Amino acid sequence: MIFSKHRLFLAAGLAASTAELAAGTATPSPTSSCRVLPGDADWPAPQDWQDLNSTVGGRLIETVPRESVCHDAPYNRYDAEACAELQKTFDFPKLARMEIPGEFMDMSIKNYSCDAFAPRSAPCGLGNHASYVIDVSKEEEAAVKSVQAALEFVRLHNIRLVVKNTGHDYLGRSTGTGALSLWTHHLKSTEFIPAYNSSHFTGPALKMGAGVQGFEAYAAANATGHRIVGGSCPTVGIAGGYSQGGGHSILASRHGLGSDNVLEWEVVTVSDGQHVIATPDNEHADLYWALSGGGPGNYAIVLSMTARIHRDAGLISGGTLSFNDTQVGTDSGLRRGGSSGGGNSIVYGLTASSFNAWTVTIPDTTPEEAEGLMKPLLDELTWRGIDSEYSPHISQNFLEHFDRALGPLPEGVIENSGFMASRMVPRAVLTDPAANARVTEALRNISGLPDYSIACQSISVANQPHPDNAVLPAWRDAALICLPKGSWDPRAPASYNARRQIEAVTEVQNVMDAATGPAGGVYMNEVSYLLPEWRSAMYGANYERLLAVKRKYDPESVLYVLDGVGSDAWVQVAHKRLCRAAS
């Protein structure tokens, strides 16, 4: 596999140290084709930042990395107790971490610029952190003015602009060296709409500020007797990369993907700073289409999202299922292929020797109906001589079920860092014996790699009603989404983790791609940022149409995200400087 110079540069961490940036020794940008960085002659003066702070109501914050509590220089914030706690919880999306301006969670993107596991005497630099953050006001008028001021400021000074809610992003799309960050995390309003009415949908809906996270949306919907589609990690922002990038869920087979449920977007447009609503029916229908599945942080600044919600009227059956190969070996496959249907879902993990279904989700069923649905699988395990442990349970509503299955809320238990691959497995592959065998062999080989496990979820969204949106077409044919993941070693040398990051795409991703064939795709929110063929894998046939929307609403390419539509017009060079690629 051939990597571009840009991608090898990212993987190996060959950027100049952030100490150079902090010390003001970055090389000045030679032309306006490159974004300005701290230390450049054109970098905004202190008075410029003070003026911006006044404009945004005193909500401008200078970024300080959270790992600075593990070091002396240059912030003088060393705290042994805080550093020990950070080391203990570094791999989990803790809520307290999401309240730190400019912070993000993926270790690969942090790139050792300020390392919690390095000696206290090591310097702490900003690295890929944004330099400044605007804490976008929860008041609508002030929020709009803050975004408009940010757009004007970055144009005037030729610096990067990024949009961040929680920082929960494996590709680092919510951060960037030398950037000004629009932090939408505190836009927490929710509004229940009993009777939303449009040509595409009539029924209950929930309007959410851009900062509303999964656990908050679940609670808000539950309070009105409803459920809402959201991520398996409850700290993920619903209106951010989740719904803008597709958004799979344990409810997806019943209610569609996150993107499918969006009714409207409230945004500030990049090209002219207008405060508009984008719906499938109005003059901004093309923007609605792109935002609903076409990737986050790239077309407009989202302030809120309105999504349909679903009556939570029936019991939700669930359970856990586990078994291993100690009695029958790894070749004792089941006679029946495929995945759960009828709106049901199974999320499970595979290792070299075990199967563990963390949650079976069967909405709107009685215990007896659920037992009937599970019986063929359990009977086959018995027929195979496989001792399994199945523990069924019944929940009164989705919030209770989620808390039991993927909680405890609000934080859940899903780890964050690692080396990701991603692949959707088409239904036609699973129902073809030979193709199914290739997928089985691929999963077996990957799970046998050192420190690798695989999470898979059954899914069926082929016939879910939804307005036209930019969701990758491969989702409609998928029966499974599988996410192989290698563990990050925070105490290992940078070269070790960089090598494993490349392994995730040159070995693991290749194995999955070959097994599923060209009809498969990847989930753009859970994949390696080094993925070479990202245009086709993430966007498929939608790419050119998305590029047209990008050029219409952001013709100057003010917004840039790695592997985002139009991002190949840029390249990251020395000192992590972002420059326009040669045409």
Side-chain angles (χ1 to χ4, degrees):
M1 178 171 293
I2 299 174
F3 282 95
S4 69
K5 180 179 178 181
H6 181 205
R7 293 180 179 276
L8 284 175
F9 170 82
L10 287 170
L14 297 178
S17 74
T18 54
E20 292 177 311
L21 299 180
T25 59
T27 305
S29 53
T31 70
S32 60
S33 65
C34 295
R35 297 297 187 211
V36 173
L37 292 180
D40 289 350
D42 293 336
W43 181 253
Q47 186 60 52
D48 295 322
W49 292 109
Q50 292 174 23
D51 292 344
L52 176 62
N53 188 39
S54 297
T55 302
V56 300
R59 304 182 74 88
L60 183 69
I61 304 165
E62 190 169 2
T63 302
V64 176
R66 62 185 171 89
E67 291 89 351
S68 60
V69 298
C70 297
H71 303 280
D72 291 322
Y75 298 102
N76 298 315
R77 296 182 67 239
Y78 181 77
D79 183 323
E81 184 177 343
C83 181
E85 176 63 20
L86 180 58
Q87 291 174 342
K88 185 171 67 175
T89 62
F90 85 96
D91 205 26
F92 293 89
K94 293 291 184 181
L95 290 174
R97 192 174 300 174
M98 296 175 190
E99 293 296 336
I100 302 174
E103 198 47 66
F104 55 97
M105 294 187 297
D106 191 73
M107 296 289 282
S108 295
I109 304 302
K110 285 185 176 296
N111 201 24
Y112 298 90
S113 57
C114 186
D115 183 8
F117 296 88
R120 174 180 175 178
S121 58
C124 173
L126 281 179
N128 283 320
H129 289 80
S131 293
Y132 286 89
V133 174
I134 295 176
D135 183 5
V136 178
S137 172
K138 63 182 179 181
E139 303 298 331
E140 182 178 280
E141 184 176 349
V144 172
K145 289 183 177 179
S146 290
V147 172
Q148 292 169 336
L151 289 167
E152 182 179 350
F153 188 86
V154 299
R155 280 197 178 91
L156 178 64
H157 295 285
N158 190 28
I159 62 177
R160 284 185 68 175
L161 181 69
V162 297
V163 185
K164 178 208 158 189
N165 175 9
T166 65
H168 194 295
D169 192 319
Y170 291 108
L171 280 78
R173 296 170 296 190
S174 57
T175 191
T177 302
L180 174 62
S181 172
L182 286 167
W183 190 27
T184 62
H185 184 58
H186 294 129
L187 301 179
K188 295 288 192 181
S189 63
T190 59
E191 178 189 351
F192 173 53
I193 304 172
Y196 186 95
N197 186 29
S198 73
S199 63
H200 292 277
F201 174 75
T202 299
L206 186 69
K207 181 179 179 181
M208 297 163 281
V212 172
Q213 293 166 266
F215 69 93
E216 295 164 327
Y218 299 148
N222 178 261
T224 66
H226 295 84
R227 60 177 81 125
I228 189 170
V229 173
S232 297
C233 181
T235 57
V236 168
I238 296 284
Y242 178 76
S243 293
Q244 292 179 48
H248 66 77
S249 165
I250 58 176
L251 288 176
S253 295
R254 177 58 57 96
H255 300 306
L257 297 167
S259 298
D260 295 338
N261 283 271
V262 179
L263 299 170
E264 60 184 52
W265 298 95
E266 179 189 11
V267 307
V268 175
T269 54
V270 178
S271 60
D272 55 10
Q274 294 299 303
H275 180 205
V276 304
I277 304 295
T279 77
D281 304 309
N282 67 10
E283 65 271 31
H284 302 294
D286 53 351
L287 183 57
Y288 166 89
W289 177 84
L291 287 169
S292 305
N298 201 31
Y299 308 99
I301 313 300
V302 173
L303 298 180
S304 78
M305 179 189 86
T306 302
R308 62 187 184 189
I309 54 179
H310 309 272
R311 188 68 185 165
D312 212 1
L315 298 174
I316 295 186
S317 297
T320 59
L321 172 67
S322 61
F323 54 88
N324 58 52
D325 67 357
T326 55
Q327 293 174 300
V328 296
T330 58
D331 292 321
S332 189
L334 300 182
R335 291 172 294 182
R336 300 173 180 87
S339 63
S340 67
N344 309 318
S345 175
I346 300 178
V347 179
Y348 56 91
L350 300 172
T351 68
S353 60
S354 66
F355 173 98
N356 181 30
W358 304 310
T359 174
V360 176
T361 302
I362 309 175
D364 308 319
T365 56
T366 66
E368 294 75 20
E369 290 169 333
E371 181 181 357
L373 288 170
M374 291 297 297
K375 189 175 186 302
L377 172 60
L378 299 176
D379 286 348
E380 176 135 355
L381 291 173
T382 300
W383 181 83
R384 291 285 179 184
I386 299 174
D387 288 337
S388 62
E389 295 184 11
Y390 178 59
S391 300
H393 55 71
I394 294 291
S395 299
Q396 298 299 310
N397 53 59
F398 177 70
L399 182 65
E400 179 183 320
H401 171 76
F402 187 99
D403 188 48
R404 174 181 283 167
L406 295 170
L409 292 170
E411 292 179 334
V413 294
I414 296 176
E415 297 178 357
N416 178 63
S417 294
F419 310 102
M420 296 288 295
S422 174
R423 197 65 178 174
M424 299 167 201
V425 184
R427 189 168 302 278
V429 169
L430 288 189
T431 55
D432 177 85
N436 194 329
R438 289 194 295 270
V439 172
T440 300
E441 182 68 15
L443 295 175
R444 178 185 293 120
N445 291 340
I446 293 169
S447 63
L449 293 173
D451 299 320
Y452 259 93
S453 61
I454 305 172
C456 293
Q457 178 187 336
S458 63
I459 197 162
S460 178
V461 295
N463 299 311
Q464 291 292 340
H466 61 86
D468 185 28
N469 61 32
V471 164
L472 177 69
W475 277 112
R476 306 302 174 192
D477 301 320
L480 285 176
I481 171 73
C482 287
L483 306 166
K485 187 175 183 180
S487 58
W488 175 279
D489 186 347
R491 300 185 186 277
S495 58
Y496 170 81
N497 285 316
R499 185 170 66 252
R500 295 205 63 199
Q501 189 69 264
I502 293 174
E503 172 191 78
V505 288
T506 59
E507 297 183 32
V508 177
Q509 187 69 55
N510 274 1
V511 168
M512 290 297 296
D513 292 354
T516 60
V522 305
Y523 179 32
M524 70 173 68
N525 291 334
E526 292 177 313
V527 71
S528 173
Y529 66 94
L530 295 174
L531 188 69
E533 303 300 329
W534 55 271
R535 295 170 197 79
S536 58
M538 293 182 181
Y539 306 98
N542 292 332
Y543 189 83
E544 290 302 320
R545 182 178 170 188
L546 284 166
L547 186 59
V549 175
K550 170 71 172 175
R551 289 171 174 167
K552 174 181 176 180
Y553 287 94
D554 185 13
E556 300 173 86
S557 199
V558 172
L559 295 173
Y560 164 89
V561 294
L562 183 65
D563 293 348
V565 169
S567 64
D568 46 355
W570 295 87
V571 63
Q572 195 166 235
V573 296
H575 308 282
K576 301 179 185 146
R577 186 183 301 282
L578 194 63
C579 294
R580 292 189 182 274
S583 58

